[in-house]
Structure formats: structure tokens, C-alpha cells
Amino acid sequence: TDAATNSNDIGELWIKSPAMMNSYLNAPDETAVGISAGWFKTGDVATISPEGYVQIVARVRERILRGGYSVFPQEIEAVLTSHPAVAEAAVVGIPDADLGEEVAAFVSLKPIAKLTCEELLAHCREHLARYKYPRRLQIVPELPKGPTGKILKSILIAQTQVENP
């Protein structure tokens, strides 16, 4: 393949196949964004192992650009939920005048668990690079979910905008 096979490399996954679509129906602008020189841009962020296995690790649209660094919410959520007191976590990017975006995290705790924001931030600092750990952290009774049980991050983003106009 033409792809880099260093497992430390991370990038957007593009695919090319004879069975791939030629374009989006009646949508030339979307086609120009989604297809480049015959390659379909999946919107998935992935790594490729030396053996050629592809692991999808995030979505491009969820990437947080903090001071020129790419931060992927799923990595931070995995660290947050690795704490024994945390039931669920959601990480979003919120606007920041100095850095472009800032990392904000929302967590719910397991029943009868007790944990402070400071303790959880210390856990994040132990397991994440300095530019990745959340600068805003809120412990909530539960995270907002849609009918399928998916966490509604758009509600969390809207909530932070109301709190910090």
C-alpha cells in the first residue's frame, strides 16, 4: 500500500475501490469535498499497524484543535472512564479566544462513588499529554442521551455556551 505503516502515524482514512461511488447525487460541492483524485475521504481518523491492520480511533469532525495540537475526544474519554469511579464520559471542544478550542469534559459517576474534579484531573494529568487533559471538567448526575442511548454532545456544547457567553 501507499500508506505509512508506522503505528504512531495517525491520519484520515481514505479508500479507493472499483466499487466506490463516483459522486454524491446532485451534490457537486459535497463530491469535491468528499472525493479527491478518486479517493473517498471517510472522515475517520485511523492508524495502520505494520501488519496492515487499520484501527479507527476517531472522527475528523470531532477533532479538537487546541493551540495547534489535534486532540481526539475518544482518547480522553478512555482515560476518564479508566478511573474506577467514572461511569461515563463525554469530551467536547469549546471555543477559546487564545487557543481556538479548549477541551471540556463531562462525567457521570458510578452509584455511591465519590470523586472530586481535582482528583479526576490529577488522573488525567498522569495519563495524558499536557495539551490534552481537560481544562474544564464537570461531574453531572447523568449525560444527555438520545433515543438510541448515544450521548448528545451537541447539548453539552450548547450548555457550555450558555454558561460562558
Side-chain angles (χ1 to χ4, degrees):
T1 76
D2 293 335
T5 56
N6 179 347
S7 62
N8 293 326
D9 290 344
I10 188 168
E12 182 177 5
L13 180 63
W14 290 16
I15 59 173
K16 190 175 197 176
S17 164
M20 188 182 81
M21 67 180 188
N22 292 324
S23 64
Y24 289 103
L25 182 63
N26 299 322
D29 292 340
E30 288 181 40
T31 299
V33 170
I35 299 176
S36 177
W39 288 89
F40 176 67
K41 303 174 188 176
T42 66
D44 295 313
V45 178
T47 61
I48 301 175
S49 74
E51 297 81 21
Y53 293 103
V54 175
Q55 180 180 8
I56 296 172
V57 296
R59 294 284 298 157
V60 169
R61 70 173 182 255
E62 292 179 349
R63 175 181 56 195
I64 299 166
L65 292 173
R66 182 182 187 276
Y69 290 99
S70 290
V71 178
F72 294 98
Q74 293 83 351
E75 179 184 5
I76 301 165
E77 290 164 356
V79 168
L80 289 164
T81 56
S82 73
H83 192 286
V86 174
E88 292 182 301
V91 173
V92 297
I94 57 172
D96 183 85
D98 296 326
L99 298 171
E101 287 184 287
E102 190 53 89
V103 179
F106 298 82
V107 299
S108 64
L109 301 180
K110 292 178 181 173
I112 71 167
K114 294 188 185 221
L115 182 69
T116 66
C117 288
E118 292 77 22
E119 291 168 330
L120 191 50
L121 284 173
H123 176 74
C124 288
R125 286 186 195 108
E126 286 178 31
H127 300 283
L128 292 167
R130 180 172 173 77
Y131 67 92
K132 292 181 181 181
Y133 67 81
R135 296 320 194 268
R136 295 202 47 194
L137 176 65
Q138 188 173 353
I139 297 173
V140 296
E142 63 182 350
L143 295 171
K145 295 188 179 103
T148 62
K150 182 178 178 183
I151 296 171
L152 300 174
K153 291 185 176 184
S154 59
I155 291 176
L156 298 172
I157 293 168
Q159 177 182 328
T160 63
Q161 291 171 346
V162 169
E163 292 170 358
N164 301 303

